[in-house]
Amino acid sequence: FPVVLAVAYGALELLHTLWRKTQYLRFTLWWVTFIGTLTILVARATGEQVEHIARWEPLQRTLLEFHSTLSGVLLFVFIVALCGYALEMSTSVNPKYTKFLLRIPQISTIKKVLTHPTLRVILAIASLVVITIIGGLGGALAHGCGSDPVTKLACTFAHSF
């Protein structure tokens, strides 16, 4: 499920950056980042359990460590995006609360940074790139290194470490 949400987030964020006239897409992105953050947390927790229960060969262990690290990167991307959307949504939902909150200079600066279109495009592209690499690593773990070109690339990369 996190894979679908990561791809959906990346695609919708790029679409939203190009076509900014709709509130509904912003609200949808907030939900995608919220649910995506929760599902990534669950996937990471279950992945950590599998990592410690199963026996892994050295190459598989390396692939698994990269897979785990990149899932942490994806979680970071989602948390940053979620914080930006939470600050942006708070301004439209409760203006009194927002006026109070934005009086704090650091919060105002954080909101400007997290809602900047350039950062959102970077996060969207990062989401798509990271989930593609995670998929290659997961495919190599599940199906072996020779199952397709992406898994071969992942294994070649892992052999260098």
Side-chain angles (χ1 to χ4, degrees):
F1 199 63
V3 173
V4 172
L5 292 173
V7 172
Y9 165 72
L12 289 173
E13 187 68 74
L14 291 173
L15 180 65
H16 180 59
T17 302
L18 296 172
W19 185 43
R20 286 204 144 316
K21 299 190 187 253
T22 178
Q23 287 287 99
Y24 302 112
L25 197 52
R26 183 173 56 166
F27 186 71
T28 301
L29 280 162
W30 183 87
W31 277 106
V32 167
T33 56
F34 178 73
I35 295 170
T37 300
L38 294 178
T39 60
I40 292 169
L41 285 170
V42 170
R44 282 183 54 83
T46 57
E48 290 295 322
Q49 293 298 318
V50 170
E51 180 180 355
H52 297 295
I53 292 171
R55 290 201 169 126
W56 301 97
E57 295 177 17
L59 176 62
Q60 290 176 318
R61 170 75 53 197
T62 304
L63 290 169
L64 189 63
E65 289 300 324
F66 281 130
H67 190 272
S68 177
T69 301
L70 288 176
S71 71
V73 170
L74 186 63
L75 178 63
F76 177 76
V77 166
F78 266 72
I79 288 172
V80 170
L82 176 62
C83 289
Y85 277 106
L87 284 169
E88 190 175 47
M89 295 300 284
S90 70
T91 43
S92 60
V93 173
N94 192 346
K96 288 182 182 179
Y97 173 72
T98 303
K99 284 181 184 177
F100 169 74
L101 193 62
L102 293 179
R103 284 185 190 162
I104 304 168
Q106 293 85 355
I107 299 291
S108 180
T109 303
I110 290 170
K111 181 182 181 241
K112 286 177 187 174
V113 170
L114 293 180
T115 59
H116 196 278
T118 304
L119 178 64
R120 288 192 169 164
V121 168
I122 291 169
L123 291 173
I125 292 170
S127 174
L128 294 171
V129 168
V130 169
I131 200 63
T132 300
I133 297 169
I134 288 173
L137 294 169
L141 283 167
H143 305 292
C145 288
S147 58
D148 64 53
V150 177
T151 58
K152 283 182 185 177
L153 183 64
C155 290
T156 303
F157 180 72
H159 274 297
S160 65
F161 288 93

Coordinates of all heavy atoms in Angstrom, one line a residue, residues 21-53:
K21 N -5.3 25.4 -9.5 CA -6.6 26.1 -9.3 C -7.6 25.3 -8.4 O -8.7 25.8 -8.2 CB -7.2 26.3 -10.7 CG -6.4 27.2 -11.5 CD -7.1 27.7 -12.8 CE -6.1 28.4 -13.7 NZ -6.3 29.8 -13.8
T22 N -7.3 24.2 -7.9 CA -8.2 23.4 -7.2 C -7.8 23.2 -5.7 O -6.7 22.9 -5.4 CB -8.5 22.0 -7.9 OG1 -9.4 21.3 -7.1 CG2 -7.2 21.3 -8.0
Q23 N -8.8 23.4 -4.8 CA -8.6 23.1 -3.4 C -8.7 21.6 -3.2 O -8.1 21.1 -2.2 CB -9.7 23.8 -2.6 CG -9.6 25.2 -2.5 CD -8.5 25.6 -1.6 OE1 -7.4 25.9 -2.0 NE2 -8.7 25.6 -0.3
Y24 N -9.5 20.9 -4.0 CA -9.7 19.5 -3.7 C -8.5 18.7 -3.9 O -8.2 17.7 -3.1 CB -10.8 18.9 -4.7 CG -12.1 19.7 -4.5 CD1 -12.6 20.5 -5.5 CD2 -12.8 19.6 -3.4 CE1 -13.8 21.2 -5.4 CE2 -14.0 20.3 -3.2 CZ -14.5 21.1 -4.2 OH -15.6 21.8 -4.1
L25 N -7.6 19.0 -4.8 CA -6.4 18.3 -5.0 C -5.4 18.5 -3.8 O -4.8 17.6 -3.3 CB -5.7 18.7 -6.3 CG -4.6 17.8 -6.8 CD1 -5.1 16.4 -6.9 CD2 -4.1 18.3 -8.2
R26 N -5.4 19.7 -3.2 CA -4.6 20.0 -2.0 C -5.1 19.1 -0.9 O -4.3 18.5 -0.1 CB -4.7 21.5 -1.7 CG -3.8 21.8 -0.5 CD -3.7 23.3 -0.3 NE -5.1 23.8 -0.2 CZ -5.3 25.1 0.3 NH1 -4.3 25.8 0.6 NH2 -6.5 25.5 0.4
F27 N -6.4 19.1 -0.7 CA -7.0 18.3 0.4 C -6.7 16.8 0.2 O -6.4 16.1 1.1 CB -8.5 18.5 0.4 CG -9.2 17.8 1.6 CD1 -9.0 18.3 2.9 CD2 -10.1 16.8 1.4 CE1 -9.7 17.7 3.9 CE2 -10.7 16.2 2.4 CZ -10.5 16.6 3.7
T28 N -6.8 16.3 -1.1 CA -6.5 14.9 -1.4 C -5.0 14.6 -1.1 O -4.7 13.6 -0.5 CB -6.7 14.7 -2.9 OG1 -8.1 14.9 -3.2 CG2 -6.4 13.2 -3.3
L29 N -4.1 15.6 -1.4 CA -2.7 15.4 -1.1 C -2.4 15.3 0.4 O -1.6 14.6 0.8 CB -1.9 16.5 -1.8 CG -1.6 16.3 -3.2 CD1 -1.2 17.6 -3.9 CD2 -0.6 15.2 -3.5
W30 N -3.2 16.1 1.2 CA -3.0 16.0 2.6 C -3.4 14.6 3.1 O -2.6 14.0 3.9 CB -3.9 17.0 3.3 CG -3.7 17.0 4.8 CD1 -2.8 17.7 5.5 CD2 -4.5 16.2 5.8 NE1 -2.9 17.4 6.8 CE2 -3.9 16.5 7.0 CE3 -5.5 15.3 5.7 CZ2 -4.4 15.9 8.2 CZ3 -6.0 14.7 6.8 CH2 -5.4 15.0 8.1
W31 N -4.5 14.0 2.6 CA -4.9 12.7 3.0 C -3.9 11.7 2.5 O -3.6 10.7 3.2 CB -6.3 12.4 2.5 CG -7.3 12.9 3.5 CD1 -8.1 14.0 3.3 CD2 -7.6 12.4 4.8 NE1 -8.9 14.2 4.4 CE2 -8.6 13.2 5.3 CE3 -7.1 11.3 5.5 CZ2 -9.2 13.0 6.6 CZ3 -7.7 11.1 6.8 CH2 -8.7 12.0 7.3
V32 N -3.4 11.8 1.3 CA -2.4 10.8 0.8 C -1.2 10.8 1.6 O -0.6 9.8 1.9 CB -2.1 11.1 -0.7 CG1 -0.9 10.4 -1.2 CG2 -3.3 10.8 -1.6
T33 N -0.7 12.0 2.0 CA 0.5 12.1 2.8 C 0.3 11.6 4.2 O 1.1 10.9 4.8 CB 1.1 13.5 2.8 OG1 0.2 14.4 3.3 CG2 1.7 13.9 1.5
F34 N -0.9 11.8 4.8 CA -1.2 11.4 6.1 C -1.3 9.8 6.1 O -0.6 9.2 7.0 CB -2.5 12.0 6.6 CG -3.0 11.5 7.9 CD1 -2.3 12.0 9.1 CD2 -4.1 10.7 8.0 CE1 -2.7 11.5 10.3 CE2 -4.5 10.2 9.3 CZ -3.8 10.6 10.4
I35 N -2.1 9.3 5.2 CA -2.3 7.8 5.2 C -0.9 7.2 4.8 O -0.6 6.1 5.3 CB -3.4 7.4 4.3 CG1 -4.7 7.9 4.9 CG2 -3.5 5.9 4.1 CD1 -5.9 7.8 4.0
G36 N -0.2 7.8 3.8 CA 1.1 7.3 3.4 C 2.1 7.2 4.5 O 2.8 6.2 4.7
T37 N 2.1 8.2 5.4 CA 3.0 8.2 6.5 C 2.7 7.1 7.5 O 3.6 6.4 7.9 CB 3.0 9.6 7.3 OG1 3.3 10.6 6.3 CG2 3.9 9.6 8.5
L38 N 1.4 6.9 7.7 CA 1.0 5.8 8.7 C 1.3 4.5 8.1 O 1.9 3.6 8.8 CB -0.5 5.9 8.9 CG -1.0 7.1 9.7 CD1 -2.5 7.1 9.9 CD2 -0.3 7.2 11.1
T39 N 1.1 4.2 6.8 CA 1.3 2.9 6.2 C 2.8 2.7 6.1 O 3.3 1.5 6.2 CB 0.6 2.8 4.8 OG1 1.1 3.8 3.9 CG2 -0.9 2.8 5.0
I40 N 3.6 3.7 5.8 CA 5.1 3.5 5.8 C 5.6 3.1 7.2 O 6.5 2.2 7.3 CB 5.8 4.8 5.2 CG1 5.5 5.0 3.8 CG2 7.3 4.7 5.4 CD1 5.9 6.3 3.2
L41 N 5.1 3.7 8.2 CA 5.5 3.4 9.6 C 5.2 1.9 9.8 O 6.0 1.2 10.4 CB 4.8 4.3 10.6 CG 5.3 5.7 10.7 CD1 4.4 6.5 11.6 CD2 6.7 5.7 11.3
V42 N 4.0 1.4 9.4 CA 3.6 0.0 9.7 C 4.5 -0.9 8.8 O 5.0 -1.9 9.3 CB 2.1 -0.2 9.3 CG1 1.8 -1.7 9.3 CG2 1.2 0.6 10.3
A43 N 4.7 -0.5 7.6 CA 5.6 -1.4 6.7 C 7.0 -1.4 7.2 O 7.6 -2.5 7.2 CB 5.6 -0.8 5.3
R44 N 7.5 -0.3 7.7 CA 8.9 -0.4 8.3 C 8.9 -1.2 9.6 O 9.9 -2.0 9.8 CB 9.3 1.1 8.7 CG 9.8 1.8 7.4 CD 10.3 3.2 7.8 NE 11.4 3.2 8.8 CZ 12.6 3.0 8.6 NH1 13.1 2.8 7.4 NH2 13.5 3.1 9.6
A45 N 7.9 -1.2 10.4 CA 7.9 -2.0 11.6 C 7.8 -3.5 11.3 O 8.6 -4.3 11.9 CB 6.7 -1.6 12.5
T46 N 7.0 -3.8 10.3 CA 6.9 -5.3 10.0 C 8.2 -5.7 9.3 O 8.6 -6.8 9.4 CB 5.7 -5.6 9.1 OG1 5.7 -4.7 7.9 CG2 4.4 -5.3 9.9
G47 N 8.8 -4.8 8.5 CA 10.0 -5.1 7.8 C 11.2 -5.4 8.8 O 12.0 -6.2 8.6
E48 N 11.2 -4.6 9.8 CA 12.2 -4.8 10.9 C 12.0 -6.1 11.5 O 13.0 -6.8 11.9 CB 12.1 -3.6 11.9 CG 12.6 -2.3 11.4 CD 14.1 -2.3 11.0 OE1 14.9 -2.9 11.8 OE2 14.4 -1.6 10.0
Q49 N 10.8 -6.5 11.8 CA 10.6 -7.8 12.4 C 11.1 -9.0 11.5 O 11.7 -9.9 11.9 CB 9.1 -8.0 12.7 CG 8.5 -7.1 13.7 CD 9.2 -7.4 15.1 OE1 9.4 -8.5 15.5 NE2 9.6 -6.3 15.7
V50 N 10.8 -8.9 10.2 CA 11.2 -9.9 9.2 C 12.7 -9.9 9.1 O 13.4 -11.0 9.0 CB 10.6 -9.6 7.8 CG1 11.2 -10.5 6.8 CG2 9.1 -9.9 7.9
E51 N 13.4 -8.7 9.2 CA 14.8 -8.7 9.1 C 15.5 -9.4 10.2 O 16.5 -10.1 10.0 CB 15.2 -7.2 9.2 CG 16.7 -7.0 9.1 CD 17.1 -5.5 9.2 OE1 16.3 -4.6 9.2 OE2 18.3 -5.3 9.2
H52 N 14.9 -9.4 11.4 CA 15.5 -10.1 12.6 C 15.1 -11.5 12.7 O 15.8 -12.3 13.3 CB 15.1 -9.3 13.9 CG 15.7 -7.9 13.9 ND1 17.1 -7.7 13.9 CD2 15.1 -6.7 13.8 CE1 17.3 -6.4 13.9 NE2 16.1 -5.8 13.8
I53 N 14.0 -11.9 12.1 CA 13.5 -13.3 12.2 C 14.2 -14.2 11.2 O 14.6 -15.3 11.5 CB 12.0 -13.4 12.0 CG1 11.3 -12.7 13.2 CG2 11.5 -14.8 11.9 CD1 9.8 -12.5 13.1

